[in-house]
Amino acid sequence: MTLTYSEEKYLKAIFEVSEAGNRSVATNDIAAATKTKPASVTDMLRKLSDKQMIEYRKYYGVSLTEEGKKAALMTIRKQRLWEVFLVEKLRFSWDEVLEVANELEHIQSPLMVRRLDEYLGFPKFDPHGDPIPDEFGDVKVRPRLAIAEMDVDSTGQVVAVKDNSPAFLRYLDKIGVYIGARIKILEKVEFDGSVEILVDNKKTIFMSKDMAVNIMIMT
């Protein structure tokens, strides 16, 4: 079934807000994620329900059907493949790709997506460390912890960031934290949850709790 730009956008938002499509979400949460008014969200939900992409009951929330979840995953697949292309082939930085990839993800050509995947060497993760669904919607998940969850003296490698906002990514560039960096937890401050880390055995960094919960580590 062919979906419009807006329908794909909403399905993707529902998937992300609902924690990988595994729970129902409120219309206000969808409105916040899509930056639209609740009345507009309600209209779109009716359309998606008619296409059997969602299950929607007023006052009870929204959940994706299997078809809706599959469509959301395919949109996410396109977005993340385009992010890889933009960074690796067009030399975009990781804080510049999101807006452009969000436009490109709505191109309707399964053949092009397969060719893009092949051209890039079948990447498993995007530049922010998020897994790229394969053409069947399967996702390779690797175990990871936020820096805030790690114990003092534990070590690991940065594999993803939860916050993809340009401001956050630019700040990580400034302090020298990147995907692939090796880190060691030197101290955790009980008072405010801030953390002191050692990066690549060279540089000591103090970071707030807000930062520490958004940087994901594989130990």
PDB file of all heavy atoms in Angstrom, residues 77-89:
ATOM      1  N   ARG A  77      14.491   2.694   8.057  1.00  0.00           N
ATOM      2  CA  ARG A  77      15.584   2.100   7.275  1.00  0.00           C
ATOM      3  C   ARG A  77      16.095   3.104   6.236  1.00  0.00           C
ATOM      4  O   ARG A  77      17.306   3.331   6.107  1.00  0.00           O
ATOM      5  CB  ARG A  77      15.093   0.823   6.593  1.00  0.00           C
ATOM      6  CG  ARG A  77      16.009   0.266   5.503  1.00  0.00           C
ATOM      7  CD  ARG A  77      15.458  -1.085   5.015  1.00  0.00           C
ATOM      8  NE  ARG A  77      16.045  -1.499   3.754  1.00  0.00           N
ATOM      9  CZ  ARG A  77      17.240  -2.049   3.614  1.00  0.00           C
ATOM     10  NH1 ARG A  77      18.013  -2.208   4.678  1.00  0.00           N
ATOM     11  NH2 ARG A  77      17.702  -2.424   2.435  1.00  0.00           N
ATOM     12  N   LYS A  78      15.171   3.730   5.510  1.00  0.00           N
ATOM     13  CA  LYS A  78      15.573   4.695   4.487  1.00  0.00           C
ATOM     14  C   LYS A  78      16.289   5.883   5.115  1.00  0.00           C
ATOM     15  O   LYS A  78      17.326   6.327   4.607  1.00  0.00           O
ATOM     16  CB  LYS A  78      14.340   5.161   3.699  1.00  0.00           C
ATOM     17  CG  LYS A  78      13.770   4.094   2.773  1.00  0.00           C
ATOM     18  CD  LYS A  78      12.622   4.628   1.932  1.00  0.00           C
ATOM     19  CE  LYS A  78      11.350   4.832   2.728  1.00  0.00           C
ATOM     20  NZ  LYS A  78      10.222   5.294   1.874  1.00  0.00           N
ATOM     21  N   GLN A  79      15.750   6.396   6.206  1.00  0.00           N
ATOM     22  CA  GLN A  79      16.376   7.538   6.869  1.00  0.00           C
ATOM     23  C   GLN A  79      17.815   7.235   7.265  1.00  0.00           C
ATOM     24  O   GLN A  79      18.739   8.019   6.985  1.00  0.00           O
ATOM     25  CB  GLN A  79      15.591   7.928   8.117  1.00  0.00           C
ATOM     26  CG  GLN A  79      16.266   9.019   8.948  1.00  0.00           C
ATOM     27  CD  GLN A  79      15.885   8.987  10.415  1.00  0.00           C
ATOM     28  OE1 GLN A  79      14.844   8.465  10.772  1.00  0.00           O
ATOM     29  NE2 GLN A  79      16.730   9.524  11.265  1.00  0.00           N
ATOM     30  N   ARG A  80      18.036   6.099   7.876  1.00  0.00           N
ATOM     31  CA  ARG A  80      19.360   5.789   8.408  1.00  0.00           C
ATOM     32  C   ARG A  80      20.356   5.434   7.310  1.00  0.00           C
ATOM     33  O   ARG A  80      21.554   5.739   7.424  1.00  0.00           O
ATOM     34  CB  ARG A  80      19.242   4.696   9.472  1.00  0.00           C
ATOM     35  CG  ARG A  80      18.487   5.215  10.693  1.00  0.00           C
ATOM     36  CD  ARG A  80      18.264   4.196  11.778  1.00  0.00           C
ATOM     37  NE  ARG A  80      17.498   4.808  12.881  1.00  0.00           N
ATOM     38  CZ  ARG A  80      17.035   4.154  13.920  1.00  0.00           C
ATOM     39  NH1 ARG A  80      17.229   2.834  14.032  1.00  0.00           N
ATOM     40  NH2 ARG A  80      16.367   4.793  14.868  1.00  0.00           N
ATOM     41  N   LEU A  81      19.884   4.804   6.247  1.00  0.00           N
ATOM     42  CA  LEU A  81      20.771   4.573   5.106  1.00  0.00           C
ATOM     43  C   LEU A  81      21.199   5.898   4.476  1.00  0.00           C
ATOM     44  O   LEU A  81      22.365   6.075   4.111  1.00  0.00           O
ATOM     45  CB  LEU A  81      20.076   3.702   4.060  1.00  0.00           C
ATOM     46  CG  LEU A  81      19.989   2.205   4.376  1.00  0.00           C
ATOM     47  CD1 LEU A  81      19.108   1.495   3.349  1.00  0.00           C
ATOM     48  CD2 LEU A  81      21.382   1.563   4.416  1.00  0.00           C
ATOM     49  N   TRP A  82      20.256   6.829   4.343  1.00  0.00           N
ATOM     50  CA  TRP A  82      20.608   8.134   3.797  1.00  0.00           C
ATOM     51  C   TRP A  82      21.576   8.864   4.713  1.00  0.00           C
ATOM     52  O   TRP A  82      22.472   9.590   4.241  1.00  0.00           O
ATOM     53  CB  TRP A  82      19.357   8.974   3.561  1.00  0.00           C
ATOM     54  CG  TRP A  82      18.611   8.611   2.315  1.00  0.00           C
ATOM     55  CD1 TRP A  82      17.332   8.150   2.196  1.00  0.00           C
ATOM     56  CD2 TRP A  82      19.113   8.680   0.968  1.00  0.00           C
ATOM     57  NE1 TRP A  82      17.009   7.922   0.886  1.00  0.00           N
ATOM     58  CE2 TRP A  82      18.084   8.238   0.102  1.00  0.00           C
ATOM     59  CE3 TRP A  82      20.339   9.072   0.415  1.00  0.00           C
ATOM     60  CZ2 TRP A  82      18.244   8.180  -1.275  1.00  0.00           C
ATOM     61  CZ3 TRP A  82      20.501   9.015  -0.966  1.00  0.00           C
ATOM     62  CH2 TRP A  82      19.467   8.574  -1.790  1.00  0.00           C
ATOM     63  N   GLU A  83      21.447   8.706   6.016  1.00  0.00           N
ATOM     64  CA  GLU A  83      22.396   9.338   6.927  1.00  0.00           C
ATOM     65  C   GLU A  83      23.807   8.815   6.681  1.00  0.00           C
ATOM     66  O   GLU A  83      24.780   9.579   6.666  1.00  0.00           O
ATOM     67  CB  GLU A  83      21.980   9.096   8.378  1.00  0.00           C
ATOM     68  CG  GLU A  83      20.758   9.893   8.808  1.00  0.00           C
ATOM     69  CD  GLU A  83      20.435   9.724  10.280  1.00  0.00           C
ATOM     70  OE1 GLU A  83      21.191   9.018  10.973  1.00  0.00           O
ATOM     71  OE2 GLU A  83      19.438  10.300  10.745  1.00  0.00           O
ATOM     72  N   VAL A  84      23.925   7.497   6.505  1.00  0.00           N
ATOM     73  CA  VAL A  84      25.235   6.913   6.211  1.00  0.00           C
ATOM     74  C   VAL A  84      25.785   7.492   4.907  1.00  0.00           C
ATOM     75  O   VAL A  84      26.966   7.878   4.814  1.00  0.00           O
ATOM     76  CB  VAL A  84      25.147   5.380   6.112  1.00  0.00           C
ATOM     77  CG1 VAL A  84      26.493   4.784   5.691  1.00  0.00           C
ATOM     78  CG2 VAL A  84      24.723   4.774   7.449  1.00  0.00           C
ATOM     79  N   PHE A  85      24.946   7.554   3.882  1.00  0.00           N
ATOM     80  CA  PHE A  85      25.370   8.088   2.583  1.00  0.00           C
ATOM     81  C   PHE A  85      25.849   9.533   2.711  1.00  0.00           C
ATOM     82  O   PHE A  85      26.899   9.905   2.169  1.00  0.00           O
ATOM     83  CB  PHE A  85      24.203   8.002   1.596  1.00  0.00           C
ATOM     84  CG  PHE A  85      24.490   8.615   0.256  1.00  0.00           C
ATOM     85  CD1 PHE A  85      25.214   7.920  -0.697  1.00  0.00           C
ATOM     86  CD2 PHE A  85      24.033   9.891  -0.046  1.00  0.00           C
ATOM     87  CE1 PHE A  85      25.493   8.499  -1.933  1.00  0.00           C
ATOM     88  CE2 PHE A  85      24.299  10.469  -1.280  1.00  0.00           C
ATOM     89  CZ  PHE A  85      25.034   9.774  -2.225  1.00  0.00           C
ATOM     90  N   LEU A  86      25.087  10.340   3.421  1.00  0.00           N
ATOM     91  CA  LEU A  86      25.422  11.752   3.553  1.00  0.00           C
ATOM     92  C   LEU A  86      26.747  11.959   4.278  1.00  0.00           C
ATOM     93  O   LEU A  86      27.545  12.827   3.914  1.00  0.00           O
ATOM     94  CB  LEU A  86      24.307  12.494   4.284  1.00  0.00           C
ATOM     95  CG  LEU A  86      22.987  12.628   3.513  1.00  0.00           C
ATOM     96  CD1 LEU A  86      21.869  13.080   4.445  1.00  0.00           C
ATOM     97  CD2 LEU A  86      23.140  13.602   2.347  1.00  0.00           C
ATOM     98  N   VAL A  87      27.000  11.151   5.300  1.00  0.00           N
ATOM     99  CA  VAL A  87      28.243  11.285   6.067  1.00  0.00           C
ATOM    100  C   VAL A  87      29.433  10.690   5.311  1.00  0.00           C
ATOM    101  O   VAL A  87      30.486  11.319   5.180  1.00  0.00           O
ATOM    102  CB  VAL A  87      28.089  10.628   7.456  1.00  0.00           C
ATOM    103  CG1 VAL A  87      29.451  10.520   8.151  1.00  0.00           C
ATOM    104  CG2 VAL A  87      27.134  11.435   8.319  1.00  0.00           C
ATOM    105  N   GLU A  88      29.251   9.479   4.786  1.00  0.00           N
ATOM    106  CA  GLU A  88      30.389   8.777   4.182  1.00  0.00           C
ATOM    107  C   GLU A  88      30.715   9.268   2.773  1.00  0.00           C
ATOM    108  O   GLU A  88      31.891   9.304   2.390  1.00  0.00           O
ATOM    109  CB  GLU A  88      30.117   7.273   4.140  1.00  0.00           C
ATOM    110  CG  GLU A  88      30.096   6.617   5.505  1.00  0.00           C
ATOM    111  CD  GLU A  88      30.030   5.106   5.423  1.00  0.00           C
ATOM    112  OE1 GLU A  88      29.974   4.559   4.295  1.00  0.00           O
ATOM    113  OE2 GLU A  88      30.044   4.468   6.486  1.00  0.00           O
ATOM    114  N   LYS A  89      29.695   9.625   1.998  1.00  0.00           N
ATOM    115  CA  LYS A  89      29.928   9.963   0.595  1.00  0.00           C
ATOM    116  C   LYS A  89      29.886  11.453   0.299  1.00  0.00           C
ATOM    117  O   LYS A  89      30.564  11.920  -0.621  1.00  0.00           O
ATOM    118  CB  LYS A  89      28.896   9.247  -0.286  1.00  0.00           C
ATOM    119  CG  LYS A  89      28.847   7.729  -0.066  1.00  0.00           C
ATOM    120  CD  LYS A  89      30.199   7.070  -0.296  1.00  0.00           C
ATOM    121  CE  LYS A  89      30.119   5.567  -0.060  1.00  0.00           C
ATOM    122  NZ  LYS A  89      31.439   4.904  -0.245  1.00  0.00           N
TER     123      LYS A  89
END
